[in-house]
Amino acid sequence: MGQDQTKQQIAKGLQLYQSNQTEKALQVWMKVLEKSSDLVGRFRVLGCLVTAHSEMGRYKEMLKFSVVQIDTARELEDASFLLESYLNLARSNEKLCEFHKTISYCKTCLGLPSTRASAQLGGQVSLSMGNAFLGLSLFQKALESFEKALRYAHNNDDAMLECRVCCSLGSFYVQVKESMKIALQHGDRPLQALCLLCFADIHRSRGDLETAFPRYDSAMSLMSEIGNRLGQVQVLLGVAKCWVARKVLDKLSQLKLHCLSESIYRSKGLQRELRAHVVRFHECVEETELYCGLCGESIGERNSRLQALPCSHIFHHRCLQNNGMWSCPNCHHSSMKPGFV
């Protein structure tokens, strides 16, 4: 079976599938798989079989065709085909509750070279990873993945993806609510604090900031009582993200936020998130033009003592000491009575 005939048979199967003649559609696609020599056509028909078996709840069959699709994608040696096939493999394992495998395949997707398909499928990868984290009760990681998926949906005007993410967030909310009940029954204060933080993060991700702020306050109180320092930092980061969403943070506050986030993600070894905040930090530095007028280094990148002159120009304290000038190097106004910042 050649390329043109393969396309015709795939289209015929889709028509049957859309008219609810599922078994006939599967028979057509299986014949294509047996007879076609066109690798791209085989890849496409395998995708149809994966989707059909997923919607029918035949998850083992879905996994079987996903594995065959991976082999076909490797033969094609195309990053976009590999991304799609690894995503199908991740979804298959997600349906079978093999959550660790799901996360592993999602990370493989994220590690593939960037292509046009990355923008289209990246949100679905994040959603699948979030569902896997939720299945493992790793609430914070699940929410982070769901937020990434939502950003993909909004950036690409993908209403279907946004709907699927909202459904997952609903399941997330229910699971956190059940965890809170258990925590209250057993007097487990650390779990109560974590659930309050998750509730706040859920409301923030939905844009309900008025509900998020009181939840963050309650979470901070509990985190402080039990001495959970990392939890306190996570609460502060959540509150900072709320203020960013409200667009009331000035550039200096954003610098501090990205600098704090950078140190946190570096200590946790989360390289992807670390790089994102390093990039945003440097973007803020460029936007605010916060550079020392003497050495040219960006201000705030290191824990250096700064000196503000009466003319409002800021320099590294060490640079002014080494320079030995009594006037501002920028505007040459008198620099008496300097202040430290």
Side-chain angles (χ1 to χ4, degrees), residues 128-141:
S128 188
M129 186 179 281
N131 289 334
F133 281 131
L134 184 58
L136 294 170
S137 297
L138 298 173
F139 297 138
Q140 285 299 125
K141 289 185 176 181

Side-chain angles (χ1 to χ4, degrees), residues 207-248:
D208 184 6
L209 302 184
E210 296 305 320
T211 307
F213 278 119
R215 296 291 175 93
Y216 280 126
D217 286 340
S218 301
M220 178 58 84
S221 298
L222 268 178
M223 294 292 186
S224 301
E225 283 180 28
I226 63 179
N228 186 341
R229 302 284 289 176
L230 180 58
Q232 291 175 50
V233 170
Q234 289 174 329
V235 172
L236 290 171
L237 276 175
V239 172
K241 288 177 180 178
C242 284
W243 287 115
V244 168
R246 279 187 167 183
K247 296 180 171 57
V248 297

Side-chain angles (χ1 to χ4, degrees), residues 12-22 24-25:
K12 179 182 176 183
L14 285 170
Q15 287 177 349
L16 289 168
Y17 188 73
Q18 289 164 1
S19 60
N20 294 324
Q21 299 182 60
T22 307
K24 288 183 178 180

Side-chain angles (χ1 to χ4, degrees), residues 171-222:
S171 301
F172 182 33
Y173 191 90
V174 170
Q175 195 162 333
V176 174
K177 196 172 181 180
E178 290 301 315
S179 297
M180 177 60 96
K181 286 182 182 177
I182 294 170
L184 290 170
Q185 287 172 0
H186 294 85
D188 190 335
R189 295 180 72 76
L191 182 56
Q192 290 175 40
L194 177 61
C195 290
L196 282 169
L197 176 58
C198 287
F199 280 135
D201 284 339
I202 290 169
H203 286 294
R204 174 178 54 76
S205 67
R206 289 175 171 176
D208 184 6
L209 302 184
E210 296 305 320
T211 307
F213 278 119
R215 296 291 175 93
Y216 280 126
D217 286 340
S218 301
M220 178 58 84
S221 298
L222 268 178

Side-chain angles (χ1 to χ4, degrees), residues 17-252:
Y17 188 73
Q18 289 164 1
S19 60
N20 294 324
Q21 299 182 60
T22 307
E23 291 301 330
K24 288 183 178 180
L26 291 177
Q27 290 173 9
V28 170
W29 287 332
M30 287 302 297
K31 285 181 181 178
V32 173
L33 199 59
E34 291 170 9
K35 298 180 179 180
S36 178
S37 57
D38 175 31
L39 282 177
V40 175
R42 287 174 61 83
F43 182 88
R44 292 301 175 207
V45 82
L46 283 164
C48 294
L49 287 164
V50 167
T51 302
H53 283 100
S54 172
E55 293 179 355
M56 294 167 70
R58 299 174 182 175
Y59 301 132
K60 289 186 177 179
E61 292 296 307
M62 179 186 178
L63 178 61
K64 182 182 77 174
F65 288 115
S66 297
V67 171
V68 178
Q69 193 182 41
I70 283 277
D71 294 335
T72 307
R74 285 173 180 157
E75 286 186 63
L76 287 164
E77 297 181 346
D78 184 282
S80 297
F81 289 137
L82 276 171
L83 173 60
E84 185 178 336
S85 54
Y86 272 113
L87 174 57
N88 282 333
L89 198 54
R91 284 172 170 169
S92 303
N93 281 281
E94 177 196 330
K95 298 295 186 182
L96 292 167
C97 299
E98 295 283 354
F99 298 126
H100 289 291
K101 289 182 180 179
T102 302
I103 294 166
S104 176
Y105 288 127
C106 285
K107 287 180 177 178
T108 301
C109 290
L110 296 173
L112 290 171
S114 182
T115 63
R116 185 178 296 178
S118 303
Q120 297 172 339
L121 299 179
Q124 297 179 39
V125 173
S126 296
L127 174 59
S128 188
M129 186 179 281
N131 289 334
F133 281 131
L134 184 58
L136 294 170
S137 297
L138 298 173
F139 297 138
Q140 285 299 125
K141 289 185 176 181
L143 188 59
E144 287 172 10
S145 296
F146 291 146
E147 286 181 334
K148 286 179 184 176
L150 266 181
R151 283 198 294 272
Y152 272 105
H154 293 156
N155 291 340
N156 295 285
D157 294 323
D158 191 336
M160 182 60 72
L161 175 60
E162 184 176 358
C163 180
R164 290 177 60 202
V165 174
C166 289
C167 288
S168 292
L169 281 170
S171 301
F172 182 33
Y173 191 90
V174 170
Q175 195 162 333
V176 174
K177 196 172 181 180
E178 290 301 315
S179 297
M180 177 60 96
K181 286 182 182 177
I182 294 170
L184 290 170
Q185 287 172 0
H186 294 85
D188 190 335
R189 295 180 72 76
L191 182 56
Q192 290 175 40
L194 177 61
C195 290
L196 282 169
L197 176 58
C198 287
F199 280 135
D201 284 339
I202 290 169
H203 286 294
R204 174 178 54 76
S205 67
R206 289 175 171 176
D208 184 6
L209 302 184
E210 296 305 320
T211 307
F213 278 119
R215 296 291 175 93
Y216 280 126
D217 286 340
S218 301
M220 178 58 84
S221 298
L222 268 178
M223 294 292 186
S224 301
E225 283 180 28
I226 63 179
N228 186 341
R229 302 284 289 176
L230 180 58
Q232 291 175 50
V233 170
Q234 289 174 329
V235 172
L236 290 171
L237 276 175
V239 172
K241 288 177 180 178
C242 284
W243 287 115
V244 168
R246 279 187 167 183
K247 296 180 171 57
V248 297
L249 272 186
D250 58 25
K251 289 295 178 185
L252 206 54

